[in-house]
Amino acid sequence: MRRPELDCILTAMLDSQPEVSDLLFTVGKPLQVESFGELKPVSFETPIIALTPFQAEMVALNLMGENQWQISDLLRRGSCDAAYTLGDRARFRINIFSQRGNYSVVLRQLNTAIPSLDDLSFPEIIGQIPLERTGLVLVTGATGSGKSTTLAAVLNQINRTKAVHVITLEDPIEFVHPHLKATFNQRELGTDFDSFSSGLRAALRQAPKVILVGEMRDRETVKIALSAAETGHLVLSTLHTIDAGQTINRILGMFETEEQEQIRARMADTLRWVVSQRLAPKIQGGRHALLEIMGSNLRTQETIRLGESEGKTFYEITESSAPFGWRTFDQSVLEAYEQGKITEETALLCCTKKGPVARGIDNIKKVRGESTLHGNSLRMKPGQPAPSNHPQPPPALRLK
């Protein structure tokens, strides 16, 4: 297999389904694409019923090309990250990994058009992030939840409004930002620097005002990011955490107990925003971004320093700050349900606390004039006698 042949296969996979997000090559399975969150096989004129180990290896080698860093990473660590451009059609973020002695490949299709915050239809409060001059901003969520897209939109807004120097450290580069009002220098792991910590340390000597760190992977990176935020930089980064509270705890968990008090104080002073994301299937098709947004105020700073306690959790602080534009996942879920974007079942699956969300759904149904009774609770067990409308006589007394 050569690159032109691989390009034809990738093109056919993209054309096989609408809204393809991922392309999968796995030994023993046909070629697959993910469309609207579901894996679907791809059919060809010459069908590939089960990919062979040799075919999977050829795909991997063609995607890596002659990049010795990626080949070495794959052999030493069992996986590597890469990027691939399919002409003018698409750009991919790739992970190649070893499993049961064979290679598997997953390609995530990247949006070539850089979105704006208006395009994403996010709450207006997100527009305050590009206005920040210093501090730490974290966008969190599971893989594929849209973290990179959100950060690209924030950087796009900075690019259009501020004449500043922006340095990005990415693995790999996903969105290529043009030079508008800002000046962009985008660096890729493995090609331009060898680790996020060393790249971030070097960035402090490159006179940036804004630094994007692709991911907070280790304690050293977090330390340098906090130092950068403390010295007048705006630092944007991501974490694989599910909500704001877990984000704080994940960062603290990277450090030893004796270090945590100092890290708590530094985070309280530098953390500006935590935006967590989940993608939920929409009723009309496609996916809807649910956001949890927590900013910085005296209550969050105190809770970061002292830890969560009864009545002072990040969830409760965020929930009570809804008048200021903050929101929990549960508030986002109820808003999406009320607007008819997601189903009740999806709302209960994507929320954080099912009890309050279920009550909120019932209140929305009452306003709409819909029944709030759940059919499952009214079903009778097989063999159970039907209730009678006539009162039953009391049981006869028995004398011993």
Side-chain angles (χ1 to χ4, degrees), residues 136-154:
L136 179 64
V137 176
L138 298 174
V139 179
T140 77
T143 301
S145 59
K147 301 185 295 296
S148 299
T149 303
T150 299
L151 286 174
V154 170

Side-chain angles (χ1 to χ4, degrees), residues 160-223:
R160 294 176 181 276
T161 57
K162 294 184 178 181
V164 295
H165 182 201
V166 181
I167 287 182
T168 71
L169 308 172
E170 303 176 68
D171 180 26
I173 293 173
E174 298 189 17
F175 294 89
V176 179
H177 292 268
H179 301 295
L180 300 178
K181 200 165 184 180
T183 297
F184 269 78
N185 280 298
Q186 296 184 252
R187 309 184 68 201
E188 185 167 289
L189 181 68
T191 302
D192 304 309
F193 62 97
D194 62 353
S195 68
F196 279 115
S197 57
S198 64
L200 185 52
R201 189 179 292 108
L204 297 179
R205 300 189 294 272
Q206 294 159 1
K209 288 293 186 291
V210 180
I211 304 173
L212 169 69
V213 184
E215 186 181 345
M216 296 282 198
R217 292 184 177 176
D218 52 57
R219 178 171 62 179
E220 187 66 19
T221 304
V222 173
K223 276 188 173 182

Side-chain angles (χ1 to χ4, degrees), residues 1 9 15 19 31 50 52 75 79 101 132 137 149 197 228 249 262 264-265 270 273 283 335 364 396:
M1 180 187 294
I9 291 173
D15 292 337
E19 299 294 330
L31 304 189
T52 67
L75 294 175
S79 68
E132 298 287 353
V137 176
T149 303
S197 57
N249 295 329
Q262 181 188 20
R264 284 181 180 276
T270 58
W273 297 94
I283 294 175
E335 180 184 70
I364 293 171

